[in-house]
Amino acid sequence: MKISAKSLAIAVACGALSCGGAFAQEPDSVSAGSPLRISREECIAIALQDNPTIRVADLEVKRLDYSKKEIQGALFPSIDFSGAYQRTIDLQTMRMNLGGESQSLRVGSQNTWNFGFAAQMPIISPSLWKSIQISDVQILSALETARSSKLDLIDQVNKAYYALMLAIASRDVLQDNYDIAKFNADLYKQQFDYGTASEYDVLRSSVALKNIEPELLQADIAIKQCQLSLKVLMGMDYAVDIMPNVTLAEMQRDMYAYPLGAGDNISNNSSLRSLDLQRKMLEKTVTLRKFAYIPTLGLSYNVSWLSLSNGSPFKGLEFNPYSNVGLGLSIPIFSGGARYHAVKQAEVQLKEIEFQREYLVNSLNMQVELALDNINREAEQIASSQESMKQAAKAHEIMQKSFEIGAASYLDLRDSELANTTAQLAYYQSIYNFLVSSSELDLLLGKEDFINPAK
C-alpha cells in the first residue's frame, strides 16, 4: 500500500488553480532572494487593494451615481441658446389688384437674423421622480455586486493560501520519508561492507530511495504552482518568494471556533441580497408604469431677438426682442393599451422574482445545513486522522528500532514507513478540507469581516 505524491501534487494544484486573478502592490521591503512570510489576512488585504474585478465593480457604482445625477438634472431648468442667419435670394412676390390694375409687389427682407434663449422646467412629472428612486436602487445593486466580487476574491485567496500550506506540509512529510529511506539505505550499505547484508538488500533499499526522489520533485512543483496562484491573486511579482507564516498543524488550534458560532443566517448572502434589490426595483417599476396615466405639467420661457434688413448683412441691423412664457399640460388619454400592458408586464416580473426568491431561500438553507454537516464530519475526521498519525508514528519508531537490531525485515520497515506517511498526509488533508469548507461557508453566509473590519 503506497501513497503517491503525484496524486497529491495534482490534487493540490487543482485546488490552487481554481483561483482567479488579481493585481496589488508589491511590498517594498521584500527582496527577491528572501521568502516573504505572510499571513492569510495580509494576502486578502493585498488582493482587495487593486484587484481588477473589484476596481471594475467600484467604477460601476460610480457610473450609476453619475447616471442618477443625470436623471436629477432633468428636475432643473434646461436652457438652450440658438442663433440663425438667413439670406433670401428671391423675395416673395405678391400680386394685388389696386385701382382696377393688377400689380406685383415683392415682400420680405434679404437678411434675417434671429437668436435667443429657450428655457424649460418640469413642474409635475411623477415618472421622473420615480426614475430617481429607481436609480437609487440601481446604485445599491451595484454596491452589492462589488461586495459579491470581494467575497468571491476572499474565498479564492483563502483556498489558494490553504492549498499552499497543504503542499508545503505534504512536501515536508515526503522529505522525512526520504531522509528515513536514505538512513536505511546507508545502513544496509554499511552492513553489506561488513558482510552482514546481501547485495540484494542494498539494491532494494537504494531503489526505494530513488523512487521517492520523483515524488519530492512533484511536491516541489505543486508548491510552486500554489505560490504562483496566490501571487497572481495578490498581483505580486513572480520573483518574490512567498510562504505562509503558519502551518496546517498550527491552524488546527484556532480553526474550530468559527463554525460553532456561524449559525445559519443567510440574510447576508450576496445572491439573496441582489434578488431582494431586484424585487425592490421591480416594485418601483410597477409604480413607474402606473404613473404613465398621470398628467404632466411643464413651464417654458422663450426670448429672442430678430433683425430684418436688405443689402449688406452687416449693415442696418436693428434687433427687436420677442419673449413669451407658458405652461404645457399633457394628459394621457389613449395609447392603444400600451400603458396598461406595460403595468401588467412589470407585475408579472415581480411575481417571477417572488417565486425565485422562495426557491433561492430554500436552496440556500439546504446548502448551509449541508455545509455545517460537512464541517462537523471533517472535524471528526481530523481527530481520527490525528490519532491514527500518532499510532502510525509510534509503530514506525518501534519497527525502526527492531530493524536496526535485526529483529525486523526491510519489508516490515518499509510497510511501517508507508503507513506513517499515509497517516500524516491524511491528517493534513483533513485539516485542509476543514479550512476550505469553512471558507465556502463564509462565502455562502456572506461573511464580510475582511470587507468591513469594524463590524
Side-chain angles (χ1 to χ4, degrees):
M1 175 177 167
K2 181 177 180 181
I3 184 169
S4 172
K6 181 177 182 181
S7 301
L8 167 68
I10 294 175
V12 172
C14 290
L17 294 178
S18 64
C19 305
F23 298 90
Q25 298 295 327
E26 175 188 345
D28 297 332
S29 60
V30 180
S31 63
S34 60
L36 172 62
R37 296 288 175 176
I38 189 168
S39 67
R40 179 178 62 94
E41 293 78 6
E42 290 171 337
C43 291
I44 293 174
I46 294 174
L48 288 175
Q49 182 177 355
D50 288 319
N51 182 273
T53 303
I54 306 303
R55 297 176 69 181
V56 168
D58 291 339
L59 288 175
E60 181 65 14
V61 174
K62 184 179 293 187
R63 183 191 70 81
L64 289 174
D65 183 55
Y66 288 139
S67 176
K68 175 188 174 181
K69 293 178 180 179
E70 177 186 3
I71 298 175
Q72 289 176 332
L75 296 174
F76 297 92
S78 62
I79 302 175
D80 298 313
F81 172 80
S82 62
Y85 167 75
Q86 180 178 341
R87 176 74 179 185
T88 303
I89 298 176
D90 291 323
L91 298 176
Q92 291 182 350
T93 301
M94 298 180 60
R95 303 187 70 86
M96 301 181 64
N97 192 353
L98 299 175
E101 296 182 2
S102 177
Q103 297 183 6
S104 298
L105 298 177
R106 301 177 70 85
V107 297
S109 301
Q110 292 178 324
N111 303 307
T112 302
W113 290 89
N114 186 11
F115 66 90
F117 295 90
Q120 295 181 342
M121 184 180 72
I123 299 178
I124 299 177
S125 182
S127 298
L128 179 59
W129 301 337
K130 186 56 64 174
S131 296
I132 295 175
Q133 296 180 10
I134 292 178
S135 66
D136 290 335
V137 181
Q138 289 176 334
I139 292 176
L140 293 176
S141 180
L143 286 171
E144 183 57 36
T145 300
R147 174 179 172 273
S148 177
S149 299
K150 292 177 181 179
L151 291 174
D152 288 336
L153 179 61
I154 290 172
D155 180 58
Q156 293 173 10
V157 172
N158 283 339
K159 291 179 178 178
Y161 192 85
Y162 298 148
L164 177 57
M165 294 170 64
L166 175 62
I168 294 173
S170 301
R171 205 273 181 192
D172 292 342
V173 171
L174 293 175
Q175 181 64 52
D176 291 341
N177 189 24
Y178 178 82
D179 293 340
I180 293 174
K182 188 175 186 305
F183 173 80
N184 292 328
D186 293 340
L187 182 62
Y188 259 128
K189 188 175 184 305
Q190 293 176 2
Q191 291 177 349
F192 175 75
D193 293 338
Y194 288 109
T196 58
S198 66
E199 184 178 3
Y200 173 75
D201 292 331
V202 174
L203 293 175
R204 184 172 58 176
S205 61
S206 177
V207 170
L209 178 65
K210 294 296 182 181
N211 287 339
I212 302 177
E213 292 178 355
E215 297 181 348
L216 278 174
L217 179 61
Q218 292 179 9
D220 288 332
I221 293 175
I223 292 177
K224 295 296 182 183
Q225 289 175 336
C226 293
Q227 287 177 325
L228 179 60
S229 296
L230 185 56
K231 286 188 285 188
V232 167
L233 284 169
M234 297 168 60
M236 299 184 69
D237 188 88
Y238 70 93
V240 178
D241 187 15
I242 60 175
M243 297 291 286
N245 65 342
V246 295
T247 64
L248 281 177
E250 293 171 343
M251 286 286 292
Q252 183 187 355
R253 293 195 300 263
D254 304 320
M255 70 183 186
Y256 296 113
Y258 164 68
L260 294 177
D264 55 358
N265 185 7
I266 61 172
S267 60
N268 282 332
N269 179 267
S270 185
S271 298
L272 183 60
R273 290 175 58 164
S274 296
L275 198 62
D276 286 338
L277 288 171
Q278 292 180 31
R279 183 179 62 175
K280 187 175 181 180
M281 190 181 304
L282 282 174
E283 290 173 350
K284 294 184 179 299
T285 301
V286 171
T287 306
L288 176 65
R289 297 288 185 262
K290 293 179 179 179
F291 279 178
Y293 290 98
I294 300 177
T296 58
L297 180 66
L299 175 66
S300 64
Y301 174 75
N302 296 279
V303 58
S304 61
W305 289 265
L306 179 67
S307 174
L308 302 174
S309 65
N310 293 316
S312 174
F314 301 105
K315 292 183 179 180
L317 297 177
E318 183 178 351
F319 290 96
N320 298 303
Y322 170 78
S323 62
N324 62 72
V325 63
L327 292 173
L329 177 64
S330 176
I331 302 176
I333 298 177
F334 180 72
S335 63
R339 286 186 289 267
Y340 172 80
H341 292 102
V343 172
K344 291 301 181 182
Q345 179 182 355
E347 290 176 346
V348 170
Q349 289 179 320
L350 182 58
K351 290 181 180 179
E352 292 176 352
I353 287 291
E354 292 175 352
F355 285 125
Q356 291 175 10
R357 189 184 189 282
E358 181 181 355
Y359 175 81
L360 179 61
V361 168
N362 293 333
S363 177
L364 290 176
N365 285 328
M366 181 184 65
Q367 293 179 47
V368 169
E369 184 178 353
L370 290 175
L372 290 173
D373 288 342
N374 288 335
I375 289 177
N376 291 332
R377 284 195 295 268
E378 287 160 0
E380 295 175 358
Q381 181 63 37
I382 291 175
S384 176
S385 299
Q386 188 174 19
E387 182 64 25
S388 176
M389 180 181 66
K390 292 179 181 179
Q391 294 176 354
K394 185 175 181 180
H396 177 261
E397 183 180 359
I398 295 173
M399 190 60 63
Q400 181 70 36
K401 296 297 183 181
S402 300
F403 173 74
E404 291 176 3
I405 63 176
S409 66
Y410 179 76
L411 182 60
D412 295 333
L413 176 63
R414 189 58 183 162
D415 287 341
S416 68
E417 291 175 357
L418 294 178
N420 186 37
T421 301
T422 302
Q424 292 182 66
L425 292 177
Y427 168 67
Y428 291 126
Q429 182 68 48
S430 62
I431 297 177
Y432 169 80
N433 292 340
F434 181 93
L435 293 172
V436 169
S437 297
S438 298
S439 178
E440 292 175 350
L441 183 60
D442 283 345
L443 179 63
L444 190 61
L445 297 179
K447 187 180 178 184
E448 51 186 16
D449 290 355
F450 291 102
I451 301 177
N452 299 309
K455 288 188 177 182

